Amino acid sequence: MSAGDKIKNAAEEFGGKAKEALGKVTDNDKLVAEGKADQAKANVKQAGEDVKDAFKN
């Protein structure tokens, strides 16, 4: 996996955490859910990249 992919996935996960935290502070359940979904999406991408890396080595 390229470093760029790792950075993008980490940024997406961080953005999801920030969105979730903002939703909690503002008592916005929709924003909390979106943040969790963004984090999950980033984690799935990361897992896919990890699988690719495992087969390269």
Side-chain angles (χ1 to χ4, degrees), residues 11-47:
E12 186 171 2
E13 184 176 3
F14 178 76
K17 287 181 181 183
K19 193 183 283 189
E20 180 183 2
L22 181 61
K24 286 180 180 180
V25 168
T26 60
D27 200 29
N28 184 334
D29 292 337
K30 182 180 176 191
L31 200 55
V32 170
E34 287 176 10
K36 287 183 179 183
D38 289 349
Q39 290 175 65
K41 187 168 76 170
N43 289 334
V44 168
K45 287 180 184 178
Q46 184 64 40

Side-chain angles (χ1 to χ4, degrees), residues 5-18:
D5 289 336
K6 287 183 181 182
I7 292 169
K8 281 194 261 182
N9 292 338
E12 186 171 2
E13 184 176 3
F14 178 76
K17 287 181 181 183

